Amino acid sequence: MISVIVPIKAFNSAKTRLAARYDADQRACLAQASAERVLRAVADCQAIDHRIAVVDSNAAAKMALYHGFEVLQRTDIYGQSAAVGAGFHRAVQRGATNVLTVSADVPLVRPQDLEEMLKPKAPVLLMVSEREGWGTNALRLDPASALRLYFGPASPRPPRARAAQPKPPATLTPTPRGPPP
């Protein structure tokens, strides 16, 4: 079973790195719009069997439910790594053998991008970095197993070290598409 986890930070506390350019309401609006697009892309991907949103706010939970996600509302965890870990754990409890996470702030993701990430045959550890290679926008693990996850600045570094290990084979993929024309 293929399960996708989308961690969604409370909109009013997201996008703080943009504080110099946008006020709190603008950042919340941007985070909400981005999450909406990611949830829609995941919901529209026919290859996915189960969808989980790990959220810490009622607004994000309501949005995820609208798109057919199971909601794991966790106000007791902090950070994307912990949220994704909780989502992976829930997915495995539900029978997932193949887990994929996509950040809620990758608004250009399309259902066909998700299908491309699901193509490599197991065993696989697939990481999709942002353009500069300093962060992880998506991560797939098949078979699903315990793996310490790292997200945020320089997140591909620890998995890159594990990529040299033989099980599972790892692939680090740059963002497949550039900005829209």
Side-chain angles (χ1 to χ4, degrees):
M1 178 172 77
I2 299 170
S3 189
V4 174
I5 293 83
V6 178
I8 306 173
K9 189 176 193 176
F11 303 132
N12 62 355
S13 61
K15 304 287 184 191
T16 55
R17 287 177 279 180
L18 301 175
R21 183 171 264 191
Y22 302 105
D23 68 31
D25 289 340
Q26 290 171 316
R27 293 191 314 271
C29 185
L30 180 62
Q32 184 173 353
S34 180
E36 174 75 28
R37 290 183 71 160
V38 171
L39 291 171
R40 188 177 327 120
V42 174
D44 289 347
C45 182
Q46 299 302 308
I48 298 168
D49 302 306
H50 184 235
R51 297 152 182 86
I52 299 172
V54 182
V55 304
D56 62 358
S57 73
N58 290 333
K62 184 177 177 181
M63 182 186 293
L65 286 169
Y66 175 81
H67 288 285
F69 280 68
E70 174 183 350
V71 172
L72 180 56
Q73 193 154 359
R74 297 286 304 265
T75 57
D76 61 323
I77 56 177
Y78 178 77
Q80 186 172 357
S81 299
V84 171
F88 276 18
H89 181 75
R90 173 62 62 92
V92 170
Q93 285 179 324
R94 297 280 194 258
T97 55
N98 185 347
V99 290
L100 169 67
T101 184
V102 180
S103 176
D105 65 356
V106 186
L108 297 180
V109 70
R110 305 168 302 178
Q112 53 267 49
D113 297 327
L114 301 169
E115 290 167 4
E116 284 296 316
M117 288 182 249
L118 293 169
K119 280 185 178 178
K121 300 293 181 203
V124 65
L125 168 59
L126 175 82
M127 296 168 283
V128 180
S129 68
E130 46 79 42
R131 229 171 276 137
E132 285 78 36
W134 289 100
T136 303
N137 286 342
L139 183 143
R140 176 178 161 227
L141 185 59
D142 183 7
S145 62
L147 176 69
R148 189 166 182 182
L149 302 170
Y150 302 89
F151 291 89
S155 61
R157 287 184 186 162
R160 275 192 183 125
R162 287 191 297 277
Q165 299 172 358
K167 297 178 185 175
T171 303
L172 182 63
T173 305
T175 299
R177 294 181 289 122

